[in-house]
Amino acid sequence: MFNHTLMDTKKIDHIISLSNDLRWQIGDEFHDNLAEGIYADAAEIVKDSVHKKDEKGTFRIDAKIDKIITSRIWGFPLMFLILAFVLWLTIVGANYPSAMLSGLLLDTVHPALKGFAAAIGMPWWLDGFLIDGVYLAVAWVIAVMLPPMAIFFPLFTLLEDFGYLPRVAFNLDHLFKLSGAHGKQALTMSMGFGCNAAGIVATRIIDSPRERLIAIITNNFSLCNGRWPTQILIATIFVGALVPASYSGVLSLAAVIAIAVLGMVFMFLVSWGLSKTVLKGEVSTFNLELPPYRPPRFWKTIYTSIIDRTLIVLWRAIVFAAPAGAVIWLISNIYLGDASLAAWLIDSLDGFGFLLGLNGVILVAYIVAIPANEIVIPTILMLTVLVTGISAGEGAGVMFELDSVSATGDILRAGGWTLLTAINLMLFSLLHNPCSTTIYTIYKETKSLKWTLVASILPVIMGFVVTFLVAQIWRLWS
Amino acid sequence: MNTYNPITALAVFFALSILAFLFFRPYRGWFWLIRNSSVSNDKIVVEDVLKLLYHNENADKHLNINDIIRTLKYNDRTILECINKMSDHELISIQGDNVKLTQSGSDYALRIVRAHRLWEKFLAEKTGFKEAEWHERAERMEHELSKVDADNLSSQLGNPQFDPHGDPIPTNTGKIAKIKGIPVSELPIGTIGRIVHIKDKPEIIYKQILAENIHIGSVIRIMEKTSARIEFHSEGEAFVLAPIMAGNITVSVLEKDVVFEENLARLSILKENETAKIIGISKEIRGDSRRRLLDLGFVKGAEVQIDLMNPLGDPKAFLIKGTSIALRKNQASKILIQKD
């Protein structure tokens, strides 16, 4: 028996060394040539044996659509019109269901829960922690986040299914190539306007590892659904007020668009910088298939986009929002000496905030609202009321928003806000760390702590630098 | 807050930025310099001396201690100390002034050469670094790969026999293949051959050859030869080289019924409404991206035409096997076609 195995190992060794020798003789080219030969043979066989029906009729329509969509004159205007239309439909269309949801979850269920807690004699701290903290944050995220995502993603998926999106990537690729990125990043970037986490999942369509990492890291520069409302609110209050009322709508809209465009500029700049430095040496390949147009499968698309994109992202957001709500309530209700933890934090960050043209309240709000951008404004309002002591809102740790834009403006001005604070808040809302849902998604997609850290910290550093410079130059000027 | 002044703040900010730049700029930042200098250099010096001796003994040149000190860019004392240490460990033997590799020294040198060439192969196949950077990166990496690392790398790459310059990679048992071939400068007119080796030293000439876009594996045909210039055709282009450059390119002559395709063109010059047949993919495209192109149908004999032009000029979409595939210009220029 023993002899036998010994013989076998000897034989195996002999075979291995023989195969190594043969490999030497055949040469490196052999493998490639064989593969190419097989492909070529397969092509010959297909040519002889597969007969296609004449498909010229449909092909012509495809070609005509393509000619318009990728033409020099119509290509770009069409693209921007469609993107603008999708965003407009999302923002305007989401207002009604959002109002309904917040009416239900915040104005009806919340008081009912409070009433129920009081009825069963729940201690005030448990009631506050669970209902004002955890429940409110989750309700807020659902009310603000669900409707726009449920509109944006199906629209986006319909365009994708129709075959339009690959043409967008095709049209824009040259711009992305200049910054070292992949044309398909145009798609993940647009997807980021809906939700950065979904945009990052969408980078799976980029097959080249280097370009995919660039797309993941820079996706945060797309203003997501959680941040559009903040931008619009602040622009309406502070920027719109600069001009007579009849123009204020146009000006605040222009300000929001300027921020979104600035985000794209940063996306290109950072892509370029990454591809020249830390991502040098990663393999880069480009090829893009332009599928034929086909009528979208409407219901299937709606169903899959709501299940795959909206609900999964929403679930992650809820999971992260719940503890954030708890933290927000806790820091406002735990007292150290004569001031709440929130007040201490705000006080200690005020100096740094001032340097950035912001204030302590905003920085604390951005720290506790890492899980969801949706709750930044309610948190800022609650904290502002907390430190200024004006009478509004519903008490320490209870986030709120006001129906009237001008009343919101009054609270913020009472908190010491100026036009500079507003502009820098808009900039910082564009340039800060991704929300925790996105950070978690980045980790799941890259499987790398290093890249997750880079993607999380890089934007916030950029935000500090940009707001700092704007603040100093602003103050020099005025 | 009473000391605050925007100008001071800006000044402090720019001072800090400049400092951060000095510390962390690539390669010459202070942070990297400090980190590199703290790594013990002795191992690197020893290995570089071994490599130098190995390459020279292969070319039948024998070096003395002065030659070594002159060639290597380390400080003289370090080199001397290392040479003494090496002779103590019987890696080299010193006879009079002459330095020779012992058997164990030669084995060690082969291991370094193996690590170097494997790493170059790795860079070529699995990364996107430019060809001109491969050698320098491998020079640094060869000192960090252990024998086990090198073996793992080798099997990961499918036990390659040649590095991307065409130099043989020693096996883990120390066997090394010989390059069979003739320098381009010595080939008669009309010869058809395949490039098997491009010398990566001296660097100036190597970089010139790279700038000409000449690659290992390409088939060439010598068209003209004078004492001042050599002209050959390859992959649809004409190349004119000085004899000193041509001498650094080795070709293995193909004799048996080779068809040398003339009138080749690049896919990138195809115009709208023209059709063409694909002849092959340039050897410059390697590894995964080569396989990907084959998967998409860019194989010998396939018909190709332009499907869509781009509003910005690049990329263009090509119709191949009934599918529309967009390729950037730099990739399309590496697909060889013959116009119909």
Side-chain angles (χ1 to χ4, degrees):
Chain A
M1 187 65 197
F2 178 74
N3 255 340
H4 215 73
T5 32
L6 199 71
M7 281 283 289
D8 276 355
T9 18
K10 255 192 185 165
K11 263 186 200 162
I12 289 167
D13 282 349
H14 175 69
I15 291 171
I16 289 173
S17 77
L18 188 69
S19 77
N20 277 340
D21 276 355
L22 287 177
R23 201 199 279 272
W24 285 82
Q25 287 168 31
I26 291 168
D28 265 356
E29 304 288 300
F30 181 73
H31 184 257
D32 260 14
N33 292 342
L34 186 68
E36 279 172 39
I38 291 172
Y39 281 115
D41 279 353
E44 279 296 314
I45 296 170
V46 167
K47 205 167 145 195
D48 288 346
S49 53
V50 178
H51 297 282
K52 278 185 233 162
K53 276 188 198 163
D54 195 26
E55 284 178 345
K56 273 193 176 152
T58 54
F59 191 64
R60 285 236 173 88
I61 299 172
D62 265 34
K64 267 188 191 149
I65 301 177
D66 269 343
K67 272 267 175 321
I68 297 170
I69 281 178
T70 64
S71 77
R72 265 170 209 274
I73 304 167
W74 296 109
F76 286 92
L78 259 178
M79 234 159 40
F80 289 119
L81 271 179
I82 292 178
L83 179 66
F85 177 71
V86 168
L87 286 174
W88 176 81
L89 209 61
T90 307
I91 293 167
V92 174
N95 273 341
Y96 305 97
S98 266
M100 267 171 54
L101 273 175
S102 71
L104 177 71
L105 296 175
L106 303 177
D107 301 337
T108 315
V109 177
H110 183 241
L113 282 175
K114 293 287 273 187
F116 175 71
I120 61 166
M122 203 185 256
W124 73 270
W125 51 268
L126 189 60
D127 158 32
F129 179 82
L130 288 180
I131 298 172
D132 292 335
V134 175
Y135 169 76
L136 211 51
V138 170
W140 218 292
V141 167
I142 294 175
V144 183
M145 194 168 172
L146 181 60
M149 293 216 310
I151 296 173
F152 184 84
F153 288 132
L155 283 176
F156 208 78
T157 319
L158 284 177
L159 284 176
E160 193 178 350
D161 214 33
F162 174 60
Y164 179 63
L165 293 190
R167 269 77 181 176
V168 171
F170 176 71
N171 280 348
L172 286 173
D173 180 66
H174 191 64
L175 293 178
F176 283 89
K177 188 192 165 195
L178 291 179
S179 63
H182 197 290
K184 285 181 189 166
Q185 194 175 325
L187 308 187
T188 63
M189 178 192 83
S190 319
M191 184 77 112
F193 287 130
C195 170
N196 294 139
I200 282 157
V201 175
T203 60
R204 289 178 190 171
I205 57 172
I206 299 174
D207 45 15
S208 162
R210 185 182 89 116
E211 278 81 350
R212 177 154 185 238
L213 260 177
I214 291 179
I216 288 178
I217 295 172
T218 57
N219 197 275
N220 188 40
F221 297 116
S222 298
L223 212 53
C224 69
N225 262 330
R227 294 183 269 172
W228 285 103
T230 310
Q231 298 283 350
I232 294 170
L233 179 73
I234 300 297
T236 313
I237 296 173
F238 289 93
V239 182
L242 291 178
V243 290
S246 48
Y247 297 109
S248 69
V250 180
L251 186 67
S252 39
L253 186 67
V256 176
I257 291 173
I259 293 284
V261 170
L262 191 69
M264 292 192 215
V265 171
F266 275 113
M267 186 272 301
F268 278 116
L269 280 180
V270 173
S271 299
W272 179 81
L274 286 170
S275 66
K276 287 280 176 272
T277 55
V278 281
L279 282 175
K280 207 172 146 192
E282 299 279 330
V283 188
S284 89
T285 54
F286 173 85
N287 37 60
L288 176 72
E289 203 181 322
L290 301 174
Y293 295 103
R294 57 165 183 243
R297 288 154 299 174
F298 191 77
W299 292 111
K300 188 171 182 263
T301 307
I302 302 265
Y303 174 78
T304 50
S305 68
I306 287 187
I307 297 293
D308 286 357
R309 288 175 173 160
T310 312
L311 287 187
I312 287 177
V313 171
L314 185 71
W315 171 244
R316 277 188 194 171
I318 289 174
V319 168
F320 284 111
V327 167
I328 290 170
W329 188 85
L330 285 175
I331 60 166
S332 329
N333 283 289
I334 293 180
Y335 277 74
L336 279 180
D338 53 352
S340 66
L341 205 54
W344 281 106
L345 276 174
I346 291 167
D347 195 46
S348 59
L349 284 174
D350 248 343
F352 185 56
F354 175 77
L355 216 52
L356 301 181
L358 300 168
N359 57 40
V361 168
I362 297 173
L363 292 180
V364 172
Y366 267 100
I367 294 171
V368 294
I370 284 176
N373 284 296
E374 286 81 0
I375 53 174
V376 164
I377 287 293
T379 311
I380 286 177
L381 286 176
M382 184 271 287
L383 292 175
T384 307
V385 170
L386 189 82
V387 288
T388 52
I390 47 179
S391 62
E394 297 168 30
V398 188
M399 288 177 281
F400 67 94
E401 222 165 33
L402 296 167
D403 290 337
S404 134
V405 169
S406 65
T408 311
D410 290 340
I411 292 187
L412 293 178
R413 285 197 191 89
W417 284 46
T418 59
L419 183 58
L420 171 65
T421 326
I423 289 175
N424 272 356
L425 175 73
M426 288 170 77
L427 287 170
F428 195 69
S429 155
L430 175 72
L431 300 171
H432 71 280
N433 54 288
C435 68
S436 49
T437 315
T438 307
I439 295 176
Y440 175 66
T441 310
I442 293 172
Y443 180 72
K444 283 202 63 166
E445 294 297 318
T446 59
K447 297 264 184 302
S448 146
L449 206 61
K450 181 178 131 197
W451 293 118
T452 313
L453 271 177
V454 170
S456 312
I457 293 176
L458 187 72
V460 88
I461 292 177
M462 289 174 62
F464 285 155
V465 170
V466 168
T467 50
F468 171 81
L469 290 177
V470 169
Q472 309 317 312
I473 290 166
W474 184 283
R475 283 168 192 154
L476 274 180
W477 230 264
S478 52
Chain B
M1 222 39 43
N2 30 12
T3 55
Y4 171 79
N5 166 356
I7 297 179
T8 346
L10 279 176
V12 170
F13 171 78
F14 283 116
L16 284 176
S17 314
I18 290 170
L19 214 61
F21 172 73
L22 287 175
F23 258 92
F24 294 111
R25 74 182 150 163
Y27 304 121
R28 287 188 302 142
W30 295 340
F31 175 77
W32 310 117
L33 290 183
I34 291 167
R35 207 175 69 165
N36 288 346
S37 68
S38 67
V39 175
S40 149
N41 270 326
D42 278 7
K43 179 167 179 279
I44 295 175
V45 178
V46 168
E47 293 178 351
D48 281 350
V49 171
L50 285 172
K51 227 171 41 156
L52 181 71
L53 287 169
Y54 174 81
H55 286 307
N56 277 291
E57 285 185 11
N58 263 3
D60 268 334
K61 274 186 261 173
H62 294 279
L63 301 183
N64 58 35
I65 294 176
N66 277 334
D67 294 333
I68 296 175
I69 291 174
R70 235 181 305 122
T71 323
L72 294 178
K73 286 173 201 143
Y74 297 108
N75 96 34
D76 297 0
R77 249 205 16 232
T78 326
I79 296 180
L80 273 179
E81 277 169 17
C82 285
I83 287 179
N84 284 333
K85 239 193 270 173
M86 286 160 79
S87 120
D88 289 346
H89 286 87
E90 296 185 345
L91 289 171
I92 50 173
S93 61
I94 305 175
Q95 289 150 356
D97 217 16
N98 273 341
V99 185
K100 268 189 169 171
L101 284 175
T102 62
Q103 185 57 44
S104 65
S106 161
D107 288 347
Y108 192 165
L110 262 180
R111 232 174 65 206
I112 305 300
V113 171
R114 175 173 158 82
H116 179 100
R117 291 182 180 168
L118 277 172
W119 194 252
E120 281 186 340
K121 184 76 180 170
F122 170 78
L123 291 175
E125 291 277 325
K126 306 279 179 191
T127 73
F129 286 108
K130 292 212 183 81
E131 226 166 321
E133 283 182 47
W134 294 345
H135 181 71
E136 210 172 302
R137 287 182 180 273
E139 281 286 291
R140 268 177 276 154
M141 201 60 198
E142 62 189 14
H143 305 295
E144 288 167 32
L145 287 175
S146 71
K147 194 172 175 341
V148 180
D149 291 340
D151 288 348
N152 288 340
L153 188 62
S154 175
S155 67
Q156 187 199 332
L157 294 169
N159 294 316
Q161 331 160 350
F162 294 99
D163 76 1
H165 309 297
D167 287 313
I169 299 171
T171 61
N172 56 359
T173 50
K175 269 198 236 169
I176 190 157
K178 283 213 170 61
I179 307 168
K180 290 176 213 140
I182 306 170
V184 170
S185 50
E186 288 166 24
L187 291 172
I189 293 174
T191 328
I192 297 171
R194 184 189 301 280
I195 298 178
V196 292
H197 182 236
I198 298 173
K199 268 192 207 165
D200 56 4
K201 279 172 268 179
E203 218 179 311
I204 304 170
I205 292 181
Y206 177 61
K207 287 202 170 144
Q208 272 175 319
I209 294 175
L210 286 188
E212 293 276 351
N213 261 325
I214 298 172
H215 302 282
I216 297 262
S218 307
V219 175
I220 67 164
R221 176 188 218 153
I222 309 290
M223 304 305 288
E224 200 194 319
K225 195 178 160 188
T226 65
S227 58
R229 47 178 257 161
I230 291 164
E231 185 183 335
F232 61 84
H233 287 183
S234 170
E235 297 185 343
E237 271 175 37
F239 296 91
V240 180
L241 296 184
I244 184 164
M245 277 163 77
N248 279 358
I249 303 173
T250 314
V251 164
S252 94
V253 178
L254 301 172
E255 277 154 7
K256 282 173 274 171
D257 44 63
V258 246
V259 193
F260 186 77
E261 305 275 3
E262 285 290 354
N263 306 320
L264 286 186
R266 310 270 167 163
L267 187 54
S268 49
I269 64 150
L270 197 68
K271 294 197 182 67
E272 264 186 299
N273 303 323
E274 287 179 337
T275 58
K277 232 187 211 80
I278 287 181
I279 299 301
I281 302 172
S282 162
K283 296 294 174 190
E284 196 184 343
I285 296 197
R286 303 176 186 80
D288 291 344
S289 38
R290 188 181 188 86
R291 250 150 267 151
R292 181 86 184 119
L293 282 176
L294 290 173
D295 286 345
L296 290 171
F298 291 89
V299 291
K300 199 171 174 180
E303 298 246 333
V304 65
Q305 70 185 74
I306 287 198
D307 186 39
L308 273 183
M309 300 296 277
N310 191 294
L312 296 172
D314 188 37
K316 289 176 194 154
F318 298 96
L319 192 65
I320 187 147
K321 294 183 188 277
T323 316
S324 182
I325 306 282
L327 291 182
R328 286 177 179 170
K329 197 175 168 193
N330 59 355
Q331 250 183 321
S333 72
K334 279 153 205 155
I335 294 173
L336 310 172
I337 55 165
Q338 213 162 32
K339 284 194 197 174
D340 289 340

